[in-house]
Amino acid sequence: MAAVTAFVGAGCIDGTGSALLVDSAIVVRDGRVEWVGPSSELEPTRDLERVDLSGTYVVPGLLDANVHLLLQFTPDVLLRFEPGDYDELVLEAAQVALAAGITTVFDTWGPLESLRRVRERIDSGEAVGSRIFLAGNIIGNDGPWSSDFAAGFGDAVSPDLVERINRHWVQGVGTDLTWMPAEHVRGAVREYVATSGIDFVKYSSSVHALVKFLAFSSDAQRAIVEEAHAAGMTAQACSMTPEALKMAIDAGVDLLQHGDVTGRHPMPEETIDLIAARQLPCVAFLVTERNVAAATSEEKLGIMDGYFSKRVLVKDENDRKLIAAGAKLLLGNDMSVFGPTARTHPLFGPRLSGPDPEMHLGRSHLYWLQAAIERGMTPMDALLSATRNIAEAYRKDDEVGTIEPGKRADLLVLDGNPLEDVRNFRRVVNVVKDGVIVDRNRLPEHPVLTDPDRHVTADST
Amino acid sequence: MAAVTAFVGAGCIDGTGSALLVDSAIVVRDGRVEWVGPSSELEPTRDLERVDLSGTYVVPGLLDANVHLLLQFTPDVLLRFEPGDYDELVLEAAQVALAAGITTVFDTWGPLESLRRVRERIDSGEAVGSRIFLAGNIIGNDGPWSSDFAAGFGDAVSPDLVERINRHWVQGVGTDLTWMPAEHVRGAVREYVATSGIDFVKYSSSVHALVKFLAFSSDAQRAIVEEAHAAGMTAQACSMTPEALKMAIDAGVDLLQHGDVTGRHPMPEETIDLIAARQLPCVAFLVTERNVAAATSEEKLGIMDGYFSKRVLVKDENDRKLIAAGAKLLLGNDMSVFGPTARTHPLFGPRLSGPDPEMHLGRSHLYWLQAAIERGMTPMDALLSATRNIAEAYRKDDEVGTIEPGKRADLLVLDGNPLEDVRNFRRVVNVVKDGVIVDRNRLPEHPVLTDPDRHVTADST
Amino acid sequence: MAAVTAFVGAGCIDGTGSALLVDSAIVVRDGRVEWVGPSSELEPTRDLERVDLSGTYVVPGLLDANVHLLLQFTPDVLLRFEPGDYDELVLEAAQVALAAGITTVFDTWGPLESLRRVRERIDSGEAVGSRIFLAGNIIGNDGPWSSDFAAGFGDAVSPDLVERINRHWVQGVGTDLTWMPAEHVRGAVREYVATSGIDFVKYSSSVHALVKFLAFSSDAQRAIVEEAHAAGMTAQACSMTPEALKMAIDAGVDLLQHGDVTGRHPMPEETIDLIAARQLPCVAFLVTERNVAAATSEEKLGIMDGYFSKRVLVKDENDRKLIAAGAKLLLGNDMSVFGPTARTHPLFGPRLSGPDPEMHLGRSHLYWLQAAIERGMTPMDALLSATRNIAEAYRKDDEVGTIEPGKRADLLVLDGNPLEDVRNFRRVVNVVKDGVIVDRNRLPEHPVLTDPDRHVTADST
Amino acid sequence: MAAVTAFVGAGCIDGTGSALLVDSAIVVRDGRVEWVGPSSELEPTRDLERVDLSGTYVVPGLLDANVHLLLQFTPDVLLRFEPGDYDELVLEAAQVALAAGITTVFDTWGPLESLRRVRERIDSGEAVGSRIFLAGNIIGNDGPWSSDFAAGFGDAVSPDLVERINRHWVQGVGTDLTWMPAEHVRGAVREYVATSGIDFVKYSSSVHALVKFLAFSSDAQRAIVEEAHAAGMTAQACSMTPEALKMAIDAGVDLLQHGDVTGRHPMPEETIDLIAARQLPCVAFLVTERNVAAATSEEKLGIMDGYFSKRVLVKDENDRKLIAAGAKLLLGNDMSVFGPTARTHPLFGPRLSGPDPEMHLGRSHLYWLQAAIERGMTPMDALLSATRNIAEAYRKDDEVGTIEPGKRADLLVLDGNPLEDVRNFRRVVNVVKDGVIVDRNRLPEHPVLTDPDRHVTADST
């Protein structure tokens, strides 16, 4: 392509909240937006390559505020990539996301080294994929093969091996911190943010697998947030009960991670009001009405009897109230890439098997957007939930989230107006990242989990 | 006995901190102390019966700040007393305590109805035993056959039966509360203190079985303490990490339950200073040097690898610092009565099998007192830890804890001066409760766990 | 009653296979039948008390060839009767059986000492109940709280206690024998039959809990049978596969215990022919068509996925073929008395919860008889399956099984002809044992498992 | 090399039992021995290449009668080679064996397809490795991730995956056969021997993981052996108790697989006499005295408490008696190649961790030979146990086992006389297979389990 490109003729919804700009022109130079306006105002320039987008609609490349580029940590997947080189899996997921128009992902828990390596390869242009921002570990959690996630996974291999696998996630800020005085927690976090190369901080307010318990005292939570801020990072907390949520808010977090999940009890009205009043960014795990019905009609999850269905109903009630109160919700829902063996696995199966499954990166964001509309969000707000608002929440709004001069030229080109019908988000014509049209047919380049012929996932012989 | 009795001739250490009164007289009327002074000042009275205690030493009847009158909740014990009539077991323990000179016990977790019934029978004089004050459930905990204590215990019986057994402990303030917003917790506790007949409130700051996690937010903890106070009760928290302890102190508890246990990390200096400065009563799980050595030299507990030994060392370090700082420590250590099957049980065996076992009601308090001396406590302070200080901490000092006019005439008569040699606490001559000499040879009247010939415990054909 | 009694006027089906004798008289002296004939031939005698049975039908008191007087070995039951005094439970079951007209039971696995004590109390007239013949242990099996029956039951108590409980069943002929050379097995069995006081020998051809495996070699099986015969006892084998059955037959057993159960594969035709040709007594676990339908339509048993339903269908096919071939089937089906907690227990629930439950002593024999008719047995053969044929198989036909001179005067008096309608077995008018009319309303005298108000079973607060 | 080669100058022990031939010449043509005799009788020939072996000793290439080329079926190994292409592992083991002088191995349980493929590659000369004869599955056993071997291994992956892995071993003759009538077993075995490409038949007389139980009736065992013989194959049985061994002998097996292992009870004298009298080939799991001492002094195996040590002592007693009686013992002991994670694994660790570990292919045969001498075997008999006798037992004595005209020219060249000192078996100078000197330094060519730098086994960051 030429040094300067103009994407011309599309209806443009720029993600700032402004109305549709008919017959727009978007001028891109060096991967960034230089100018946006009516195509009629575009002056013919010598070096400018015109890309005709007549009849299409352009929105900012989407963002996802809660992704795990590697989440299927079952032995059949992880043991194949011993000792801990998961780059291939991470890149596959980043490419699946990009092909679907999600040009930026926020990875909120994963194997640090592999995530970091793939982030760098993509940033440097060596590899194609969604732009990655990453948290590494959820501070306070042990690794995937521990009681925090899936205690039994390591039973059949040697303790050394289990420890080695977990280490990729733990990174020195694991469950040991939950034993510590607050000031020791502060020290460990300070070290972590200084040396790990992460982009933002995430910690456990709720204990992950046990849900109802708390991992850190208020003092410790405040210490973590302060250390994140001192390092110029945003901080977020994983919370799953009303009190864990409240503690995180009081600790000063910048983003509530699945803040709509409050376990068995609905969010108190005061908390809803607080979130709305402060416009505290809140990732919401929205699911469609069809999925709510399926999750609650069937006996879907045996693991914590009845809890799952109850949780879904409580969450749905919270979501409706938050939207009605004008809270700032963000798109996200543990989306990742899964192989066939995940579908029959008790840990992942339930959330992958509904009519509108929640966790498929590249697909489930469409159900999220539909669910937002179903719950009363305006089409424009739904779009902002997946673009500008996420960028602002993570303080990356100088780079991404809108189509404005100076921003990365990340565009999603659709075959219909998504403000008229949310299903038009499915009609992807093109994905542009850093001003370049993505060759979506090539992605993922090296399918592992997504390739039925590859042996990790195949069900042959 | 006559209406008025005088115990004459003993050296009296009255538990107020005053020095030994040689050749004392203690006049008792209607079960209470009427007068204490030199026997030379005792006027001959008509109706006064003299009990000659020449050559002995009298101290206040001992108190134990952390007892569980029923702790061996193994199936072989509980199922024998279905459906939940554990009175016989509770009374046995109360009699074992009394026979050893512990005239008042604070039961900090147990089956509410049985505890209440036995408390009433003893208070009314219908039964003989230690005076009981009780907490019922530790708020936030599920029953004994749950993941909070011993998850596998109910596996072989029907779920109905497990639920029925747990219900005796749970009493409406179980693990459900950990899911709740703080104001719901407040409501449940208000109801509990109003209707349960308990004497004081205990709640989980640390999660019981998981140790390192927190059960309640700061707001919820404050709500619990406020409700206890509003009902005129003291409140205490179970804490096992530095932060759980700190949260409990911040919530305003009146007593720190095993406050010296801080898991893997020693108590921060600031917390030690705070406890000492405020003279916050703190039950300490003191164990002798012999026991510390045994617990840490052997691989004693496999359950949480290495944790046990580490915990013992950390606790010991905390204890020494607290004593040096002048903190107000109280005697207690999960003491109870156990049958033979407990000794080989992984849950109880380790703490029952050291050279100076920690948990034997009627015996282990002697090791506690010895351990206090070993760690630098003065003999007088050791005595106060087991008498006046406990009474004050629980706000029962108008009734028990010292030998002063108006107080219950609870006396422990020893064959040697315990201030000279702590081992003299073993040389029990007599136990007096409410002014009456206890017939110690009869106790326990109906041995169950303590009787090798009774079938629950027997190992015969 | 007088020394001599005549039961007069009933239609008598004497259990020899002879046709109904209308208006019969049965003369009983000293508990035994003295004479049977038309009442018209009965000479008026001085000392003879006449019991008018006009309008009723008399059959021999029923026998059950496979009963366990104590089968609910769940902790809530067994631990209540520590250390091993289960007499109360055994007697309750013997009384439940007697009240239903089952005057003789063959207990094929149970706690030896309690069974023996209750057998003696009933035989001596000290207690009322069914006549008991007993096997004690199934040779080769460990106790109820072992991997042979319910491995997890003892997990929550001490190993000593588990061992002590199992010992009541094991009696020196447990799973140790499966490790031994055949001649050592012989020695252990010789000792057992000589000293245990059992009435007949039962051993494992199939391994109990693992079903598909074999416990003993052909040589060892022959040694067991030979030792039983040398001691004048019958021998039977527990078999659950075609080969285990065949090995037992080849070893010379006198009775095939649930010989119709062959697991996943139907019984080979040759085996059916062999059983029929030799008239080898075979206890069959007949269940009604309704129950077969229920067991196979639902996913009834999760324990061994799908196995249960398959087993039911295979068994049913075997039963039909055996009946068609003229095999000598005997009534039996693990019948026992159960408390409420058994119904929700995975081990017992499935076989107690069908429309026509299989295992209720006192009730399920009625379904057995109905099932026999459904599968093509003649009414007379059905009656013989529950009377004479069992007596002959166990070589007790000189005592019980028919109404003939010299036999025990055990009678079941019905309100309708059971040969006309098998449901008439339900219409019990009277039960006579040893010539005496049983006071059925009193039985069981001391309900435990059968009493909803007793605490072992109650589901109250 | 030339078409004809002469290995000249070595002392030759030809494996027929004949005495040492000093200064021998072994003429090899087309991979087979053409002539053996004193080198002085060797006529100078044109095309003959002379290999000078002066100062060395030549014995036949060794055979191992019980090898598993792939035995470490832990998830970290198997999942890396999904879906079931274990050729690399099998070949590695075959090369480890060859490099140690074991020129022929009998694989008695393993993944059929991979074993078959590697066997063919070696036979065709495409790959270098020991000559392989294989049994595929042990008839009656389920796969490695089942209750027959390691039930928990598949818990963390999907059931589909577990089934797929097990299928590589099961091959249609798995645990289903234990449910079948004997004639069905016969049919399944007939099909298996006809279609599977195996070299010999192995079946379970003892149940593998449960040890003390029996998998097949005598009739079924006979049917299996008959089908093997009808297909021209030898048959062997896995037995672990006296009776399982006896049943196998009675069924007509050609070889007793670890026939010296009889569990908790020593082999009866009659069985010893029978084995000796019939000269029934019997693989014995000989271990050195040092190892017996280690296995029985420590509490080595917790899996089946005490059983392991008992088993070792019983086996050792059997071994001594069998040797004294002149039984024909064969070398073998589950030898395989293991990676570092096996050493800390409870399933393999105990037998890999003694002073003279039992199961290391390429090393542990040296301990076996030493143990044979320790137990009274003559040096010549020890050599025959590892050469001619194995060849005869498997009916491969027309091909391997001795240095005689017509046989494969498989030679082990040693630096000392192994009949003088059994430790001379360690002093390997050269290994010759099919007349060609093996380049031992290259083996294994592609180390996986044996390479500390390869990631399956590495314990690095």
Side-chain angles (χ1 to χ4, degrees), chain B residues 74-77 79 145 152-153 341 344-346, chain C residues 75 79 145 152-163 165:
Chain B
T74 50
D76 54 320
V77 174
L79 288 172
W145 291 11
F153 276 22
T341 57
T344 55
H345 202 289
Chain C
L79 288 173
W145 290 10
F153 275 23
D155 285 356
V157 296
S158 71
D160 291 347
L161 180 53
V162 173
E163 203 276 329
I165 284 179

Side-chain angles (χ1 to χ4, degrees), chain D residues 10-278:
Chain D
C12 176
I13 309 160
D14 65 5
T16 66
S18 303
L20 174 78
L21 174 63
V22 181
D23 190 12
S24 69
I26 303 166
V27 178
V28 172
R29 181 192 297 266
D30 293 339
R32 291 184 185 263
V33 174
E34 192 179 71
W35 182 84
V36 186
S39 69
S40 57
E41 297 182 12
L42 184 68
E43 285 186 61
T45 316
R46 194 166 204 157
D47 243 357
L48 190 146
E49 177 168 0
R50 284 172 178 253
V51 178
D52 182 15
L53 296 181
S54 307
T56 69
Y57 293 81
V58 174
V59 298
L62 301 182
L63 288 74
D64 190 320
N66 183 321
V67 158
H68 306 291
L69 291 166
L70 169 50
L71 189 57
Q72 189 181 340
F73 45 74
T74 50
D76 54 320
V77 174
L78 293 198
L79 288 172
R80 196 173 133 59
F81 294 91
E82 268 299 286
D85 179 354
Y86 310 122
D87 303 20
E88 201 178 342
L89 293 164
V90 168
L91 184 57
E92 176 183 27
Q95 294 184 340
V96 166
L98 181 60
I102 303 168
T103 49
T104 301
V105 295
F106 294 86
D107 187 293
T108 65
W109 181 68
L112 182 68
E113 295 98 343
S114 288
L115 287 168
R116 223 164 44 192
R117 282 192 296 262
V118 175
R119 178 186 65 184
E120 254 95 89
R121 285 168 61 194
I122 292 172
D123 284 352
S124 71
E126 185 196 321
V128 173
S130 276
R131 188 172 292 105
I132 300 173
F133 296 101
L134 61 92
N137 194 21
I138 303 171
I139 293 170
N141 275 1
D142 201 348
W145 290 11
S146 74
S147 59
D148 283 332
F149 293 91
F153 275 22
D155 285 356
V157 295
S158 71
D160 291 347
L161 181 54
V162 173
E163 201 277 330
R164 196 173 71 214
I165 284 179
N166 282 336
R167 217 187 297 155
H168 294 294
W169 277 257
V170 172
Q171 299 293 341
V173 287
T175 194
D176 285 359
L177 273 67
T178 61
W179 289 100
M180 292 182 186
E183 286 308 304
H184 291 225
V185 174
R186 180 189 296 279
V189 173
R190 183 176 297 174
E191 167 88 6
Y192 180 59
V193 297
T195 62
S196 63
I198 60 169
D199 297 302
F200 59 94
V201 164
K202 184 180 182 185
Y203 71 89
S204 260
S205 179
S206 292
V207 172
H208 192 269
L210 299 155
V211 183
K212 64 184 171 181
F213 297 129
L214 303 163
F216 290 112
S217 69
S218 297
D219 287 349
Q221 295 202 23
R222 261 190 301 273
I224 296 169
V225 173
E226 286 167 11
E227 290 302 316
H229 289 172
M233 294 178 186
T234 63
Q236 60 184 260
C238 166
S239 68
M240 291 185 274
T241 60
E243 290 300 302
L245 176 64
K246 188 63 173 25
M247 284 176 84
I249 295 173
D250 292 348
V253 295
D254 305 288
L255 183 153
L256 306 173
Q257 195 50 274
H258 46 78
D260 61 333
V261 175
T262 58
R264 300 185 187 273
H265 287 264
M267 197 181 295
E269 297 296 334
E270 311 88 88
T271 308
I272 289 171
D273 294 345
L274 189 66
I275 292 171
R278 292 198 195 165

Side-chain angles (χ1 to χ4, degrees), chain B residues 128-148:
Chain B
V128 173
S130 275
R131 188 173 293 105
I132 299 172
F133 296 101
L134 61 95
N137 195 21
I138 303 171
I139 294 170
N141 275 1
D142 200 349
W145 291 11
S146 74
S147 60
D148 283 332

